[in-house]
Amino acid sequence: MVHTHQLCGQTGSAEAEESQSAYLSSIAHAEPGHDGTVRHQLRPEIGDGTIEVTTLRRGLSLVRYDVEFSRTHRLAYRFPGDHFELEHCLDGRMRIRESGSTGEMRASAVSLSPRGALDGVVEYEPGERYRAVSVTGTWTGVESYLRDLGAYSLPAIGPEPVARERYLGRSTALLPAADPLREIFAQRRDSAGRLLFLESRLLAALAAVTDGLAAKPAEPELAAHEAAALRRVPDLLWQHRHDPPTLAQLARMSAMSVRRLTTGFRALYGIPVMEHHRRRCLDRAATLLVETDWPIARIASEVGYASASNFGYAFRRDRGSSPARFRRART
């Protein structure tokens, strides 16, 4: 049976601090630093890696995750409507279940919490290293932080369906925030200069989020025959995975322009054509690693990779673990 940890309460409240302290102390040893960062080293029986928390102004914190759990790790949460969290996944995968919706934070994804109560569960698979950086606090705190700089509040996050897509890491509107967040992951608050650098990168991330929320891209209206053709694209790529067609070839096979294919596919699936195909191949590989004893080279070939080394690199990038280590953790 998988134990489910709990987080709850308004950020900054006694309830929230107590639940977070209880959670972190149950899985890690705390190592406070002189620079305002607390480093939580996972206990050996829990896994390997660290969760680092750096405090900033207005109740905001930077949280760096570099963890690999030895067993399935599940964390339930219940936050009121003012909870703010902006997260960027560098490597690995985290599943999210929230209000009947499911999603995954994968490498390159950016997630933004909606302006509403959150009640759900996140889950980490064993043997998959998850590396991410998160800005946490409250929406009130973020807007106060921006007002300190003479800026206005963030734009409206959008209607609930759009907000949910953004929260589940499916929105491309937030991707420009990934670069400054990645720089935050690589830095530490160990000097006045580094603190200023972190603040500058946080502002760059919030600026990218502001632009992403304000943008109103025109979503293509798909005719029934176009939607049907686009739904055939994933199977076409899978059938020809050993010699994948180009976008131009896919467009001809689908009787549409390349532009219509790419914008329509993104509108239908939320991600680019080839990214969708890559995920399908790696998901199939993960299943074969667990359910068969096939050599890794055979699995690589089965899912369309020309060599085991190329497959290993792609799998490690996506899951945070080598194929062999992934298999050992589940068998």
Side-chain angles (χ1 to χ4, degrees):
M1 181 176 179
V2 179
H3 176 68
T4 302
H5 301 271
Q6 302 283 335
L7 288 179
C8 59
Q10 176 67 53
T11 302
S13 69
E15 180 186 20
E17 290 182 3
E18 183 179 345
S19 71
Q20 183 179 48
S21 176
Y23 164 61
L24 290 173
S25 64
S26 71
I27 66 168
H29 297 287
E31 302 173 2
H34 67 280
D35 57 357
T37 295
V38 180
R39 188 172 185 266
H40 301 272
Q41 178 72 46
L42 290 189
R43 301 176 188 275
E45 66 272 20
I46 299 296
D48 175 68
T50 59
I51 300 173
E52 296 183 6
V53 182
T54 301
T55 56
L56 298 176
R57 293 179 290 160
R58 299 296 183 181
L60 298 180
S61 296
L62 301 177
V63 186
R64 299 176 186 83
Y65 300 92
D66 187 355
V67 292
E68 182 178 320
F69 295 101
S70 54
R71 297 182 185 138
T72 300
H73 188 77
R74 190 174 293 154
L75 178 63
Y77 55 87
R78 189 177 69 256
F79 300 129
D82 199 30
H83 180 79
F84 176 90
E85 188 159 3
L86 173 66
E87 184 161 335
H88 169 49
C89 173
L90 284 79
D91 292 299
R93 182 175 58 152
M94 174 184 72
R95 293 194 179 93
I96 309 170
R97 295 202 309 273
E98 164 80 23
S99 301
S101 300
T102 60
E104 286 188 341
M105 282 292 288
R106 293 178 178 244
S108 80
V110 178
S111 168
L112 178 66
S113 57
R115 288 180 184 252
L118 297 173
D119 189 351
V121 177
V122 296
E123 185 174 284
Y124 306 85
E125 287 292 320
E128 291 187 29
R129 196 160 200 93
Y130 186 71
R131 299 171 68 245
V133 61
S134 177
V135 181
T136 64
T138 63
W139 283 93
T140 303
V142 170
E143 292 180 341
S144 178
Y145 181 89
L146 293 174
R147 280 196 300 273
D148 285 349
L149 301 166
Y152 296 104
S153 61
L154 291 170
I157 198 171
E160 184 174 343
V162 174
R164 289 291 161 191
E165 290 295 292
R166 288 170 174 164
Y167 178 59
L168 296 173
R170 297 178 185 150
S171 173
T172 57
L174 303 175
L175 290 181
D179 285 343
L181 289 171
R182 189 177 300 111
E183 289 183 89
I184 287 173
F185 181 88
Q187 299 296 326
R188 297 299 181 271
R189 180 185 169 177
D190 54 8
S191 70
R194 289 298 88 191
L195 175 57
L196 289 173
F197 180 83
L198 288 174
E199 295 272 7
S200 73
R201 296 300 83 203
L202 174 56
L203 285 175
L206 292 175
V209 169
T210 299
D211 289 343
L213 294 179
K216 293 181 171 56
E219 296 290 351
E221 293 185 7
L222 298 172
H225 73 277
E226 289 179 313
L230 289 167
R231 290 192 178 96
R232 289 193 291 270
V233 167
D235 285 338
L236 284 172
L237 283 167
W238 179 253
Q239 291 164 14
H240 299 280
R241 60 192 180 277
H242 296 101
D243 186 17
T246 65
L247 287 176
Q249 290 169 328
L250 281 172
R252 286 195 296 272
M253 295 162 76
S254 304
M256 60 181 67
S257 68
V258 172
R259 180 177 177 80
R260 191 65 174 170
L261 172 79
T262 54
T263 58
F265 192 94
R266 188 186 289 270
L268 199 60
Y269 290 96
I271 56 177
V273 177
M274 293 307 178
E275 172 66 10
H276 186 280
H277 177 61
R278 184 185 70 83
R279 290 186 182 183
R280 179 175 183 175
C281 291
L282 293 175
D283 285 345
R284 177 58 180 161
T287 299
L288 292 172
L289 285 166
V290 175
E291 295 183 355
T292 75
D293 59 358
W294 290 3
I296 289 172
R298 179 179 175 184
I299 292 174
S301 176
E302 168 62 21
V303 299
Y305 282 84
S307 70
S309 61
N310 287 345
F311 165 67
Y313 175 81
F315 192 90
R316 190 180 304 108
R317 174 77 176 169
D318 187 72
R319 303 297 169 106
S321 172
S322 69
R325 191 169 186 177
F326 182 90
R327 169 177 271 170
R328 286 196 301 270
R330 289 160 177 76
T331 57

